[in-house]
Amino acid sequence: MEIKAILGNIYEIECDALVAGMFEGEKPEEGLLAEIDNRTGGVIASLVETGEFTGKSAESAYIHNPGGMKARRLLLLGAGKQEEFNTDSVRKMAGTAARTMRGKKARSFAFVHPPAWAASAELPIGESAQAATEGALLSLFDPDKYHTSDKTENHLETMILAASNGDADALKSGVERGRIIAEAANFARDVINEPSNVMTPTELARKAGETAKSYGLELEVLEEAHMKDLGMGSLLGVAQGSAEPAKLIVLRYTPKAASDETIAIVGKGVTFDTGGISIKASDGMEKMKYDMAGGATTIAAMRAIAQLKPAVNVLGVVPAVENMPGGRAQRPGDVVRSMSGKTIEVINTDAEGRLILCDAISYARKLGATKIVDLATLTGAVSVALGDVYVAILGNNQEWIDEVIAASKRAGEKLWQLPLTSEYREQIKSEIADIKNVGGRKAGTITAAYFLREFVDDVPWAHLDIAGTAWNENGKPHLAVGPTGVCVRTLVSLVCG
Ligand code: BES
Ligand code: ZN
Ligand code: ZN
């Protein structure tokens, strides 16, 4: 879908629908709403009077042949509470608009750009254009790739961001940036959505290779023999139960002007997690295809970074393995030696994410990372703590954590910090080795992060546990069920500002 910005008379725009927002409890007495109400012979006033439309967020009203405008329909969307309105509201409204209009078989719609009517929110026009673009493009993703019939039809060709005036350049660059980021997130969702018989570690490496080629990134894929030479016994221990060979995927972005700083993004790429010998219950196990969401998100973020060209070196490191209970699988009680030299007692083979990430983190450090952010569908416990609403963030450096949180706020994603103090180290002490890979029932998200911390040492590091947020169980008006692409936006905002 093309996204155009048009500055001028919004009623003159020829399209299938004009989409306008209304705050909760607002009356069409002034501004844009009053104007639309007048032109349509009081349609909004009557919807408000009957209580049919109140302006609550996610509410909508669809008016046929409204008159007073060239658009054939009028779609009114609830904008929620005026005092809570922000760029993320714009993202969600544009998403609801695009999904709704796609459902109506529309080809085009004009989204009245919120800075034109929500003056009190003081939305910068470029940021708002970016958010609207992201919202619309993200909303049109659907996970039905393998449907051979009843596929979601999409006739949408154009979304017009309509306003009577504004800075045309800011609008244009906001739309461009929004498109780059949303297309990257949708790429991540596509990769995450693939079943595990397709998306093997080898295939994930191939995807990374395609990305590198298309967007001008450097690619290195380490094979098992190379990882063995580097001493990555922890990662290889997880891979040994599978017939699929492990890959360590490294994407590298280098800016034009040399920079001292290298940000490493490290993403868990378990293409299927059976649990290994500590096998999972079969109910819902099919979902474990999304255990590579962190890895896909890393590749997607690198794709957007390559296009936005920040002034810092960036590494994307994805340890890709399949966790299977084959005849050569590692056993509970096995002791493995990680690349760092630290020995690990594998108590539970289902706590495999941390076992591959620790070696990937060591490799990122070897490549010169000065700051690390890792992301992983690491623990079921994060859903117990934060549900499917917040991503958990933990780390060893408050400044860096705060930077990541600030980036998430700019990007409209939700992060919540959990503590990571030394009391939790007790839970992962091992009798036989330096550390063990599980810390018991309590504080599962924290002990998993603590395990990783032991391999990071003093490099500023933040860890994002996306197990609760990477998959959306219930569709929303602005978002399909399935992979969410969570954190692509945060990572891009972190690296590119
Ligand atoms: N991949 C899972 C975590 C997960 C759970 C992701 C639910 C998405 C949804 C991870 O490898 C795992 O199995 N973690 C265990 C750790 C436990 C054995 C300490 C868990 O959370 O149960
Ligand atoms: Zn597991
Ligand atoms: Zn896992």
Side-chain angles (χ1 to χ4, degrees):
M1 183 174 65
E2 190 195 1
I3 296 170
K4 284 202 274 202
I6 293 187
L7 295 173
N9 185 342
I10 59 175
Y11 307 106
E12 288 295 316
I13 300 173
E14 286 259 13
C15 59
D16 289 326
L18 187 73
V19 183
M22 185 181 107
F23 290 120
E24 199 171 324
E26 192 181 358
K27 294 212 165 63
E29 282 160 1
E30 53 186 332
L32 179 87
L33 279 186
E35 211 178 311
I36 298 180
D37 199 45
N38 279 336
R39 284 171 174 268
T40 57
V43 156
I44 304 181
S46 105
L47 283 169
V48 169
E49 208 176 271
T50 56
E52 222 175 305
F53 186 68
T54 65
K56 282 206 176 80
S57 81
E59 215 179 53
S60 65
Y62 194 59
I63 297 121
H64 295 244
N65 307 320
M69 58 185 74
K70 290 210 170 143
R72 285 171 280 283
R73 306 281 185 263
L74 172 65
L75 174 65
L76 284 177
L77 292 181
K81 291 199 169 59
Q82 186 155 7
E83 60 278 14
E84 289 169 10
F85 194 77
N86 57 25
T87 46
D88 199 42
S89 322
V90 178
R91 194 176 283 107
K92 292 199 176 96
M93 278 177 73
T96 305
R99 266 182 98 75
T100 306
M101 293 316 300
R102 182 182 68 177
K104 308 278 185 202
K105 311 277 184 276
R107 291 183 188 278
S108 62
F109 66 96
F111 181 69
V112 184
H113 196 209
W117 52 270
S120 64
E122 292 179 3
L123 300 173
I125 194 160
E127 282 174 36
S128 174
Q130 180 186 333
T133 305
E134 287 174 2
L137 295 177
L138 292 169
S139 80
L140 296 177
F141 172 90
D142 275 288
D144 60 358
K145 174 169 176 188
Y146 291 98
H147 278 199
T148 58
S149 61
D150 298 330
K151 231 176 153 59
T152 317
E153 279 179 52
N154 182 14
H155 302 288
L156 281 174
E157 288 161 5
T158 319
M159 170 167 101
I160 299 154
L161 275 179
S164 45
N165 53 46
D167 177 344
D169 288 343
L171 265 173
K172 190 163 172 266
S173 57
V175 169
E176 265 166 29
R177 192 179 157 107
R179 175 179 292 284
I180 288 171
I181 294 171
E183 285 178 352
N186 282 344
F187 163 82
R189 293 161 88 189
D190 256 327
V191 174
I192 295 165
N193 193 45
E194 287 290 352
S196 302
N197 58 330
V198 174
M199 197 48 64
T200 58
T202 304
E203 180 60 13
L204 192 60
R206 206 187 58 76
K207 279 271 171 207
E210 263 179 22
T211 304
K213 200 158 170 231
S214 305
Y215 299 95
L217 294 161
E218 250 177 86
L219 171 81
E220 185 189 19
V221 177
L222 275 60
E223 305 293 333
E224 287 186 348
H226 194 166
M227 291 188 256
K228 197 165 173 215
D229 290 345
L230 287 163
M232 296 185 178
S234 185
L235 189 162
L236 291 170
V238 176
Q240 78 191 31
S242 169
E244 293 291 340
K247 308 276 167 176
L248 182 63
I249 304 163
V250 182
L251 288 168
R252 188 195 296 266
Y253 163 79
T254 312
K256 276 223 170 76
S259 158
D260 297 339
E261 208 186 319
T262 299
I263 299 176
I265 304 171
V266 182
K268 170 175 172 180
V270 174
T271 61
F272 195 77
D273 183 9
T274 64
I277 295 302
S278 314
I279 199 161
K280 287 182 182 294
S282 51
D283 226 21
M285 204 205 272
E286 72 283 354
K287 280 285 168 55
M288 281 303 116
K289 71 174 188 177
Y290 85 81
D291 215 17
M292 34 57 78
T297 302
T298 300
I299 299 168
M302 292 303 290
R303 161 180 159 147
I305 289 163
Q307 293 172 83
L308 293 170
K309 305 195 188 322
V312 57
N313 299 299
V314 191
L315 291 169
V317 182
V318 180
V321 306
E322 189 182 55
N323 188 22
M324 297 286 275
R328 297 206 46 81
Q330 69 180 346
R331 298 136 290 250
D334 282 6
V335 174
V336 294
R337 188 180 300 274
S338 64
M339 179 177 168
S340 70
K342 286 199 167 81
T343 55
I344 303 164
E345 182 184 10
V346 180
I347 299 288
N348 189 320
T349 63
D350 196 12
E352 83 298 340
R354 62 201 80 178
L355 294 173
I356 64 169
L357 286 167
C358 67
D359 278 342
I361 286 171
S362 295
Y363 193 63
R365 288 183 54 202
K366 181 180 155 74
L367 295 180
T370 55
K371 281 181 182 149
I372 300 175
V373 55
D374 84 76
L375 72 163
T377 47
L378 203 63
T379 66
V382 76
S383 305
V384 179
L386 301 173
D388 56 8
V389 179
Y390 279 83
V391 172
I393 178 167
L394 308 94
N396 63 355
N397 179 300
Q398 196 57 43
E399 244 177 80
W400 181 231
I401 292 170
D402 288 342
E403 267 189 61
V404 181
I405 294 175
S408 77
K409 287 192 174 147
R410 292 195 296 275
E413 295 188 310
K414 288 184 152 69
L415 265 53
W416 197 264
Q417 188 177 355
L418 297 181
L420 193 64
T421 46
S422 54
E423 294 89 331
Y424 295 101
R425 177 69 176 87
E426 283 299 303
Q427 285 175 243
I428 47 174
K429 263 189 179 164
S430 161
E431 302 292 338
I432 188 173
D434 295 329
I435 195 169
K436 63 182 179 186
N437 78 331
V438 294
R441 229 170 44 82
K442 294 180 182 171
T445 302
I446 299 175
T447 52
Y450 213 104
F451 178 94
L452 296 177
R453 182 189 185 145
E454 295 283 305
F455 297 85
V456 178
D457 261 352
D458 51 358
V459 182
W461 157 76
H463 160 68
L464 304 172
D465 194 330
I466 58 170
T469 45
W471 194 270
N472 177 15
E473 297 280 352
N474 310 299
K476 298 182 185 150
H478 66 281
L479 211 66
V481 288
T484 60
V486 72
C487 287
V488 171
R489 289 178 355 232
T490 295
L491 290 172
V492 175
S493 171
L494 175 69
V495 174
C496 304

